[in-house]
Amino acid sequence: MNERRTRLICQLMSGGKPVRILDLANTLNLSSRTVRYDLDKIDDFLKANKLPLLTRKPNSGIEYAPTASEKQKIYSLLEGISNYEYILTPRERKRIILAELFQAKGYITIDDLANRVSVSRGTILNDLKGIQDWILSQGLRFESLPHFGVKVNGCEKDVRKAVISFLSESIDVENALNLLKASALVEIDIVAERQIKKLFEDLDSLPIEESIGLAEQQLNITFSDSAFSSLVIHLALAVKRMQSGKIIVMPENELSKLRSAKEFAVASLMVVELGRRYNIQIPEDETGYITMHLL
C-alpha cells in the first residue's frame, strides 16, 4: 500500500456508490491503467487480511461497501502499517524527516533518520538537500555536525511558524485537529497521521479546547470551526514546545502593547488553567503569544 492506494480505498469506502475507473483516474490525475493496477494491489491487501474484495460492476464501476467492523479493521490496518510495508514516496519521506527534526530535542543522526523511513544513508543525504532549502526559506538554520547529526535551529517563534507551515502544506487545520483527537480515522492519510502523532506525542488536547471555550465566554464571541481548530493546533504546539523547554521570547515593547488588550487578560486566565492541567510554568511571553493568536 502507498498514499495513493490508501486514498483510493478511502474514497471508495466513503462514496457509497459505484465509481467508474475513468472518473477515479480524472479525480486522482492518473491514467486508467495506473488506477486498475492500484485496484489490483488493494485487492491483494484485502485478501491478505481476509477482508471482502472490491466489487467490480460492469457498466457501473468499482464499489466497496464493507460493514462498520470491516471498515474499522481496514483503518486500523492502514494505521498500523510500518515504513517497511508502506512504500514512501520522496515527498512523504521528506515530510516524515521534517517531523522528526522538529520533534527532536537535539541532534538526530543520519542513521536514525534512515532507520525511521527504511532507506539508505545516501537516500537520506539526498533528501536533506531539499529539506535544507525549505528550512532556510522559513528563516531557520539547518545545522550539521559530524558524528552528532543534524538539527533545526532558530528563533522559537519562527520554529513554531515553520511547523504550522509544514503541516499546512499537507493537511488543513481542521483535519489536523481531527487526526490529533481521533482514535479511528474516517479519511486516513498515513503520513499526515504519523506527523501529527510525532509532533503532538502523548498530548491530550481537551484542556486546550476547554481553555479556548473559556476564552469564547470571556470575549463573548464564537470562533468559526477553522479558527477554533487553528487555535487548538497552535496552542498544542506551544504546550509541546514548552514541555521540551522551548520558550517564546517576545520584545518588551511588543509585550507592553499587548498587555492593554482585553485578550491579554483572557490569555492570562487560559495560561493559569493550561499551566495547571499540563504541569508546566508558562512565562508572560507565552501569554503574549496566545494573545496574538486570540487577536
Side-chain angles (χ1 to χ4, degrees):
M1 295 293 283
N2 57 22
E3 182 181 31
R4 191 178 66 232
R5 292 166 200 159
T6 299
R7 291 186 183 280
L8 183 51
I9 191 173
C10 288
Q11 183 174 339
L12 290 170
M13 285 194 293
S14 63
K17 60 182 181 180
V19 186
R20 294 185 309 151
I21 286 179
L22 182 59
D23 292 334
L24 289 170
N26 290 335
T27 299
L28 298 171
N29 196 27
L30 301 168
S31 69
S32 295
R33 181 179 178 181
T34 299
V35 170
R36 288 192 183 92
Y37 179 77
D38 282 348
L39 292 172
D40 288 340
K41 289 296 181 182
I42 290 171
D43 264 342
D44 290 343
F45 167 77
L46 295 171
K47 184 178 181 180
N49 289 287
K50 297 180 171 58
L51 287 159
L53 303 185
L54 303 174
T55 301
R56 290 164 167 79
K57 295 186 173 182
N59 305 317
S60 295
I62 310 298
E63 185 177 33
Y64 197 54
T67 65
S69 61
E70 289 167 344
K71 187 180 290 190
Q72 178 60 48
K73 181 179 179 180
I74 291 168
Y75 288 141
S76 298
L77 285 168
L78 291 172
E79 186 177 353
I81 290 174
S82 73
N83 289 334
Y84 288 99
E85 302 164 300
Y86 186 85
I87 305 166
L88 295 167
T89 64
R91 177 173 172 269
E92 289 173 315
R93 283 199 311 272
K94 289 176 182 178
R95 285 161 58 185
I96 290 177
I97 292 168
L98 272 171
E100 294 287 349
L101 288 171
F102 281 129
Q103 191 266 348
K105 294 181 180 179
Y107 286 98
I108 183 168
T109 68
I110 302 299
D111 285 340
D112 280 343
L113 290 173
N115 288 334
R116 291 177 196 186
V117 292
S118 307
V119 295
S120 68
R121 282 175 52 88
T123 299
I124 291 294
L125 290 170
N126 189 57
D127 287 342
L128 285 173
K129 294 176 185 177
I131 288 170
Q132 183 175 359
D133 291 340
W134 186 89
I135 288 170
L136 293 173
S137 75
Q138 300 296 311
L140 301 173
R141 299 188 303 278
F142 180 83
E143 298 184 4
S144 177
L145 192 62
H147 309 300
F148 284 87
V150 294
K151 72 175 181 177
V152 175
N153 222 334
C155 165
E156 178 61 18
K157 190 175 179 181
D158 290 339
V159 171
R160 295 187 194 181
K161 184 179 178 182
V163 173
I164 297 298
S165 174
F166 153 69
L167 286 174
S168 299
E169 288 182 4
S170 55
I171 189 168
D172 63 62
V173 289
E174 288 185 55
N175 283 337
L177 178 57
N178 290 336
L179 285 172
L180 175 61
K181 294 167 60 177
S183 55
L185 310 177
V186 270
E187 292 295 334
I188 197 166
D189 178 337
I190 295 291
V191 176
E193 186 262 349
R194 288 180 182 173
Q195 290 169 8
I196 297 293
K197 287 195 172 180
K198 173 59 69 174
L199 291 168
F200 303 105
E201 196 171 20
D202 301 324
L203 182 74
D204 177 9
S205 66
L206 183 59
I208 294 172
E209 294 177 62
E210 291 176 348
S211 74
I212 295 172
L214 171 66
E216 288 181 314
Q217 293 174 15
Q218 295 291 322
L219 295 171
N220 194 29
I221 59 173
T222 301
F223 293 118
S224 66
D225 288 345
S226 60
F228 186 92
S229 298
S230 180
L231 276 170
V232 173
I233 293 298
H234 277 86
L235 295 187
L237 176 61
V239 168
K240 286 299 294 183
R241 298 289 292 177
M242 283 187 278
Q243 288 176 335
S244 298
K246 309 291 186 180
I247 305 296
I248 285 280
V249 176
M250 190 170 288
E252 177 56 34
N253 62 332
E254 190 174 346
L255 194 56
S256 178
K257 292 176 183 177
L258 291 171
R259 289 191 188 105
S260 61
K262 61 181 179 180
E263 286 81 3
F264 188 89
V266 173
S268 299
L269 293 175
M270 295 171 69
V271 159
V272 170
E273 187 61 17
L274 292 173
R276 182 182 69 82
R277 297 288 291 274
Y278 291 110
N279 193 29
I280 53 176
Q281 293 291 326
I282 303 180
E284 190 181 33
D285 298 65
E286 293 285 355
T287 304
Y289 179 77
I290 295 175
T291 301
M292 290 174 64
H293 285 294
L294 291 176
L295 287 166

